[in-house]
Amino acid sequence: MKFKWMAGGAVGVLALAGLSVVLGVVRLPGTAAPGAQAAAPAAGPAATPPGGKAEPALAFAPREVVQPTLARMAAVVEFSGPLVAPQTAIVRAKAGGTLLALNVAEGSRVAAGQALGRIELAELGSRVAERSALLESARAALVQAERTHASNERLAAQQFISSNALENSRAALDTARANLAAAQASLDTTKVGLRDGNLAAPIAGIVAKRQALPGEKVSPEQPVLTIVDLARLELAGMVGTHEVSRIRPGLPVQVRVEGLAEPVAGRVARIAPAAEPGTRSIGVTIELANPKELLRAGQYALVRAELADDTERLTLPVAAVGSTSGQDHVWVIENGALARRAITVGRRDEREGRVEVLQGLSPAAQVLAARFDNLREGAKASVVADKSAAVASAAASSPALR
């Protein structure tokens, strides 16, 4: 009996131990092991996810950050046009006839008064012969009138003729003298026409164009040659009415002529008194000295006039200003973080590489001097003297060339 009880007790102990093992290993999904809920609060919130990295702060060198500065910015007025030679003369035929000779070609240099060609005036030659004959006839008539009047004076002294006859004789003598003078004037006028057959240069310069060839028939006032003097050239352009009030005669300008590497100095010669109808523009003429005749009439040129500025303006480097959808903006460092600020710009000075800021910035703003890619508003940023540890290029690329 005792053995049976002990055997039965052992079997019961083993059964209870097996049940406890099953209860300790097999538990419902979602339940926690004893003591797990008490360990979670002690761990606290997770600071950085496994494998994650904190975003580094951007560090810019002092040369990469600028502040707006006050500067005077000269306004620039530009206009263009062809060069013209104001000293241009057109040699015209003064009488009709055949062009016998033309002694110069295009590009030839001529002096004032130099013979250029000759026109055959056959009709005028006949007229000269006719006028010469009339002159000789008038001279003979005068000799006869003088002889008759002298004879009548002797007869009147002897009272063989009346005083009326003597007066008639004197009147005939005066008429003969007048006819002789008229014939001489007519001959001289005809000879002047003969001299018009010789073509002479009215000014010194270069033959720019020949409008007739030897052998052609020319009529009075027909152009034969064009001569230009290149020692002084001019350029006529148009300037807006809102800018012309700041331009004065004598203002020095720079003229860039096509074909020349360096600009040429010029000056404002004159300004038109009124605007062109419908254009709201006023004509301005520029004068250029051309003593070596390196420039030619007809060359296209661009005039650049700088107008002095009497106002100091807030300016930035052009490279610091970006544009998105037509809106200009800059990146600034404020309170240790990057911020993008929309600005309004005014004048630009391409030579100095600066632009005027009208609105959107204060003189104390720290502005990035160049445009970087991958900048994010709100990112931590600072200006450091040594960027060996953390540089701006760690999160932003080199300045963008755009």
Side-chain angles (χ1 to χ4, degrees):
M1 291 295 293
K2 184 176 180 180
F3 175 74
K4 291 181 178 180
W5 178 86
M6 293 179 62
V11 172
V13 171
L14 290 176
L16 290 174
L19 180 60
S20 63
V21 171
V22 173
L23 292 176
V25 175
V26 181
R27 54 183 182 270
L28 295 177
T31 60
Q37 294 181 355
T48 302
K53 295 183 179 179
E55 182 179 357
L58 300 179
F60 295 91
R63 60 183 174 82
E64 296 176 333
V65 179
V66 296
Q67 286 185 320
T69 58
L70 293 175
R72 299 178 186 272
M73 302 183 67
V76 176
V77 177
E78 292 183 341
F79 56 92
S80 58
L83 298 179
V84 297
Q87 296 295 327
T88 301
I90 298 178
V91 180
R92 301 177 183 271
K94 296 183 179 179
T98 303
L99 183 62
L100 294 179
L102 205 55
N103 306 327
V104 293
E106 294 179 354
S108 300
R109 187 176 297 278
V110 299
Q114 177 180 336
L116 304 176
R118 186 165 58 88
I119 300 174
E120 182 185 23
L121 305 175
E123 183 181 354
L124 282 180
S126 300
R127 289 182 184 178
V128 169
E130 179 185 359
R131 299 296 189 272
S132 298
L134 291 176
L135 178 62
E136 293 301 324
S137 175
R139 184 175 289 114
L142 176 59
V143 171
Q144 181 61 36
E146 288 176 344
R147 189 177 298 145
T148 300
H149 181 65
S151 176
N152 288 335
E153 283 182 336
R154 288 192 299 269
L155 293 175
Q158 298 175 4
Q159 296 183 352
F160 287 127
I161 61 174
S162 65
S163 58
N164 289 335
L166 181 61
E167 290 296 330
N168 291 336
S169 174
R170 185 177 291 110
L173 176 61
D174 292 339
T175 301
R177 289 173 177 170
N179 289 338
L180 177 63
Q184 183 66 55
S186 178
L187 177 61
D188 293 342
T189 301
T190 307
K191 287 183 176 179
V192 168
L194 279 179
R195 290 197 297 268
D196 290 341
N198 297 322
L199 301 176
I203 62 172
I206 299 176
V207 177
K209 187 176 183 180
R210 299 202 314 178
Q211 287 95 342
L213 296 175
E216 292 184 359
K217 280 279 190 180
V218 294
S219 58
E221 299 303 320
Q222 177 180 338
V224 179
L225 291 171
T226 300
I227 301 175
V228 297
D229 182 6
L230 298 177
R232 183 173 61 89
L233 298 178
E234 291 184 349
L235 184 150
M238 306 300 293
V239 177
T241 54
H242 63 288
E243 296 174 325
V244 74
S245 60
R246 303 177 63 185
I247 299 177
R248 295 288 184 273
L251 177 71
V253 298
Q254 293 293 316
V255 183
R256 187 169 293 278
V257 184
E258 59 179 358
L260 295 184
E262 298 296 329
V264 180
R267 69 178 188 89
V268 177
R270 56 189 178 273
I271 303 174
E276 292 291 330
T279 64
R280 298 182 63 187
S281 298
I282 295 179
V284 177
T285 302
I286 306 300
E287 184 181 67
L288 294 86
N290 189 31
K292 297 182 179 180
E293 297 184 352
L294 298 178
L295 306 178
R296 290 291 186 265
Q299 282 184 292
Y300 198 79
L302 174 67
V303 178
R304 177 186 175 93
E306 291 190 0
L307 309 179
D309 188 11
D310 55 358
T311 304
E312 291 190 338
R313 307 173 187 274
L314 199 65
T315 65
L316 278 176
V318 174
V321 181
S323 180
T324 304
S325 301
Q327 174 63 61
D328 296 315
H329 66 270
V330 294
W331 286 92
V332 299
I333 300 177
E334 293 181 351
N335 301 323
L338 286 178
R340 191 171 73 171
R341 293 288 178 262
I343 62 172
T344 303
V345 299
R347 295 184 182 181
R348 288 179 178 267
D349 189 343
E350 300 297 339
R351 185 178 62 181
E352 298 294 335
R354 301 194 70 82
V355 61
E356 178 189 8
V357 179
L358 299 176
Q359 293 179 352
L361 279 183
S362 65
Q366 290 183 310
V367 183
L368 298 189
R371 285 169 284 185
F372 292 87
D373 288 329
N374 304 325
L375 294 181
R376 183 176 60 83
E377 193 163 7
K380 295 181 179 180
S382 62
V383 180
V384 295
D386 183 8
K387 297 200 310 178
S388 58
V391 295
S393 58
S397 68
S398 299
L401 300 178
R402 48 192 178 96

